[in-house]
């Protein structure tokens, strides 16, 4: 059997297969081109599931500059707050490559939770994970030096993937936004860390050579 969209999502993949198939029938599949907006403040309230591809979730500040909150990969989802009635006033989701997106309508989702109350507990668990990730990003941005933010990010990602050689999951522009800097500054900090012997870099291929303490002062 082909993989269901809902099987990609931790919120649903622990359910029995027959219940997953019932949820899948409520999901609308749509294809988005690279740089196409999936969601903006005028969109309907949907749970957005990234079936294949990648996207970025961001807000805009008063000057119109982007603040990347999350990079969405296959199996990630967002929009649960809007499903419960929170207004989306300043959040955007943009495909960063050609992607397949699954959309679950608010009314369908709420009806589903009434039929399957265990989803409420699962949703709470997943929201706690998201809050922890957001707290880590806030701590990261509190570091005054961009090179320390970058190194912290790379060391954290190394632990996640389990080895010191990897391809950056974010493009330079998106990584710069995530770290609260510019692509030009980020490039300079990569060069600085290379000169210090902390890492080797070829385009998005990164190899960390050894751990360097981060100065929080």
């Amino acid at each position: 059997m082909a993989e269901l969209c809902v099987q990609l999502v931790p919120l649903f993949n622990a359910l029995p297969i027959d219940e997953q198939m019932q949820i899948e029938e409520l999901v609308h599949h749509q294809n988005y081109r690279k740089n196409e907006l999936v969601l903006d403040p005028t969109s309907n309230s949907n749970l957005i599931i990234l079936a294949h591809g990648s996207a970025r979730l961001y807000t805009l500040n008063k000057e119109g500059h982007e603040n990347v909150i999350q990079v969405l990969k296959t199996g990630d989802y967002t929009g649960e707050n809007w499903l419960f009635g929170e207004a989306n006033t300043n959040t955007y989701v943009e495909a960063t490559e050609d992607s397949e997106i699954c959309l679950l309508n608010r009314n369908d989702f709420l009806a589903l939770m009434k039929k399957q109350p265990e989803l409420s507990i699962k949703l709470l668990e997943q929201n706690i994970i998201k809050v922890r990730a957001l707290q880590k990003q806030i701590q990261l941005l509190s570091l005054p030096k961009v090179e320390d933010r970058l190194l912290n990010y790379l060391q954290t990602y190394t632990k996640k993937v389990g080895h010191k050689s990897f391809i950056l999951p974010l493009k330079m522009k998106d990584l710069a936004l995530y770290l609260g800097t510019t692509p030009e500054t980020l490039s300079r900090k990569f060069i600085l860390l290379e000169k210090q012997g902390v890492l080797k870099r070829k385009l998005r291929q990164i190899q960390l050579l050894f751990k360097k303490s981060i100065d929080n002062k």
Side-chain angles (χ1 to χ4, degrees):
M1 184 181 66
E3 186 176 42
L4 304 178
C5 182
V6 296
Q7 288 180 321
L8 300 171
V9 185
L11 182 61
F12 300 121
N13 61 15
L15 297 174
I17 187 62
D18 59 330
E19 294 182 9
Q20 290 183 17
M21 294 181 69
Q22 292 175 22
I23 300 171
E24 186 75 15
E25 292 177 358
L26 302 175
V27 168
H28 303 281
H29 295 250
Q30 289 187 211
N31 292 318
Y32 290 85
R33 305 288 293 180
K34 180 180 178 181
N35 298 328
E36 185 177 357
L37 275 180
V38 177
L39 173 140
D40 63 30
T42 67
S43 304
N44 293 328
S45 298
N46 290 311
L47 183 71
I48 297 173
I49 304 168
L50 192 63
H52 299 286
S54 63
R56 58 198 180 105
L57 177 72
Y58 65 91
T59 59
L60 296 177
N61 64 18
K62 294 180 180 179
E63 289 74 34
H65 297 147
E66 297 176 5
N67 175 33
V68 176
I69 300 173
Q70 184 182 6
V71 175
L72 304 171
K73 298 293 185 181
T74 297
D76 289 338
Y77 69 95
T78 190
E80 62 274 23
N81 291 343
W82 308 317
L83 291 178
F84 291 111
E86 180 179 319
N88 175 18
T89 59
N90 187 30
T91 303
Y92 301 78
V93 175
E94 177 186 301
T96 52
E97 61 181 294
D98 292 351
S99 302
E100 180 186 357
I101 306 290
C102 300
L103 304 173
L104 181 58
N105 177 268
R106 178 177 188 269
N107 291 334
D108 290 338
F109 183 75
L110 293 179
L112 182 66
M113 292 189 69
K114 290 180 181 179
K115 291 172 57 178
Q116 300 179 4
E118 67 272 20
L119 286 178
S120 299
I121 299 175
K122 193 69 174 177
L123 182 60
L124 178 59
E125 292 173 347
Q126 293 302 313
N127 276 352
I128 290 173
I129 293 174
K130 284 191 171 187
V131 168
R132 287 174 179 168
L134 183 58
Q135 289 173 338
K136 288 182 180 179
Q137 186 186 8
I138 292 172
Q139 292 173 351
L140 185 65
L141 292 174
S142 70
L143 296 174
K145 296 181 180 179
V146 175
E147 58 266 34
D148 287 344
R149 295 179 217 161
L150 173 58
L151 185 56
N152 184 288
Y153 172 84
L154 295 175
Q155 289 176 342
T156 299
Y157 191 72
T158 294
K159 293 178 182 178
K160 180 179 179 180
V161 298
H163 45 82
K164 295 184 178 181
S165 181
F166 54 86
I167 296 176
L168 278 175
L170 302 181
K171 295 180 180 179
M172 289 291 285
K173 176 185 175 183
D174 292 331
L175 180 57
L177 288 170
Y178 184 81
L179 296 177
T181 187
T182 64
E184 295 77 15
T185 299
L186 184 61
S187 293
R188 290 196 296 269
K189 299 308 179 182
F190 266 116
I191 292 172
L192 173 64
L193 292 177
E194 283 189 274
K195 289 181 177 179
Q196 293 176 345
V198 177
L199 58 81
K200 290 183 179 180
R201 172 183 171 237
K202 184 176 182 181
L203 298 178
R204 289 171 62 187
Q205 181 68 46
I206 304 295
Q207 181 184 0
L208 285 186
L209 301 178
F210 68 89
K211 290 185 178 181
K212 174 188 174 184
S213 61
I214 295 175
D215 184 6
N216 291 298
K217 297 180 181 179

